[in-house]
Amino acid sequence: MSAANPKVELQKQRLRFVLNRIEAARVARGGEAPVELIAVSKTKSADDILPLIEAGQRVFGENRVQEAAGKWPALKAAHEGLELHLIGPLQTNKVGQALALFDVIQTLDRPRLAGALMAARDNGVTLPPLFVQVNIGAEAQKAGVMPDEADGFIEQCLNEWELPVVGLMCIPPADEVPGPFFDKLAALAAAHGLAQLSMGMSGDFEVAIAEGASHVRVGSALFGARG
Ligand SMILES: *Cc1c(COP(=O)(O)O)cnc(C)c1O
């Protein structure tokens, strides 16, 4: 646990490098809007995550409810101010568990899930901030509401169901230039008065910031490549 712990020193260096790149992109974009770094710790053990917490990182993302349930309750109990985002698909039968574990849910993408969240709210649960995930490249294998259904779904979430949607999230197609997809997500968010945009990963977060990202989700640039 000392300052000389080499794992903590390595994580401090990687964290500083990523934060410097984020800040440079944010300054280049102009304006005052901040950019939040979400450290994506999927597949990483609590032992791997701890040095990054000790390096000062507080906001993390996980893509599986079950995996997160195995490591985050203890980490949260031991460290003040941790904020956990769900960035992977949420099944309706896991909504209760997800609401107990996550501070933000970024993957609201269908009416059935909206219904499960409303049912939890009816039972007295305070819902966390939500992002609507948009399948911005309309890819068959990917989660998210399809672009041509996004306007209607977002509108319903906000005005009919009064869900606490604060922004939009996307994962653009892996094999295409990401900028136009980020731009499209930003336009969709602006059309609905949503200020938050979760977009950009290790390979493209600077592009995402240029297009208006408020949250970037970075895994491998912080933890090294996943095995
Ligand atoms: C894994 C993952 C990331 C992080 O990916 P890296 O390329 O390792 O930075 C970001 N967002 C989602 C939804 C992910 O599943």
Side-chain angles (χ1 to χ4, degrees), residues 1-196:
M1 300 287 162
S2 78
N5 180 335
K7 279 190 174 173
V8 176
E9 289 311 303
L10 173 64
Q11 285 307 72
K12 275 189 183 159
Q13 283 178 20
R14 284 176 169 166
L15 180 58
R16 200 176 304 127
F17 183 58
V18 169
L19 287 173
N20 284 343
R21 287 171 59 193
I22 289 172
E23 182 58 11
R26 195 190 68 80
V27 168
R29 169 171 87 185
E32 296 296 314
V35 178
E36 184 89 70
L37 169 63
I38 301 171
V40 177
S41 50
K42 65 187 186 195
T43 79
K44 299 296 167 186
S45 68
D47 282 351
D48 292 333
I49 297 168
L50 200 50
L52 190 54
I53 295 174
E54 286 176 5
Q57 179 65 20
R58 285 293 173 273
V59 184
F60 288 84
E62 290 279 347
N63 68 336
R64 290 171 192 271
V65 175
Q66 213 59 43
E67 182 188 336
K71 49 193 180 183
W72 283 98
L75 287 169
K76 277 188 159 187
H79 301 273
E80 289 288 312
L82 293 182
E83 182 179 303
L84 192 59
H85 292 234
L86 178 61
I87 60 168
L90 178 53
Q91 292 164 349
T92 50
N93 64 355
K94 296 231 171 75
V95 162
Q97 197 179 9
L99 289 171
L101 199 54
F102 290 95
D103 304 290
V104 178
I105 292 175
Q106 296 207 357
T107 50
L108 172 55
D109 64 353
R110 58 199 192 282
R112 224 170 97 75
L113 179 54
L117 290 165
M118 285 185 278
R121 179 176 61 192
D122 290 344
N123 286 329
V125 177
T126 301
L127 296 181
L130 306 170
F131 288 68
V132 169
Q133 181 178 1
V134 181
N135 186 349
I136 200 72
E139 297 171 278
Q141 80 284 9
K142 224 167 238 173
V145 60
M146 283 292 174
D148 60 353
E149 294 168 4
D151 273 318
F153 182 66
I154 295 164
E155 178 68 22
Q156 244 177 339
C157 285
L158 287 170
N159 298 322
E160 188 178 330
W161 302 329
E162 298 183 332
L163 289 167
V165 172
V166 298
L168 304 181
M169 178 271 214
C170 79
I171 310 168
D175 50 1
E176 290 181 58
V177 176
F181 295 100
F182 294 147
D183 186 48
K184 196 173 164 188
L185 193 75
L188 191 58
H192 292 274
L194 295 170
Q196 313 283 313

Side-chain angles (χ1 to χ4, degrees), residues 40 42 87 169 171 201-202 217-220 226:
V40 177
K42 65 187 186 195
I87 60 168
M169 178 271 214
I171 310 168
M201 319 201 307
S202 292
R217 309 179 308 268
V218 177
S220 45
R226 283 180 296 276

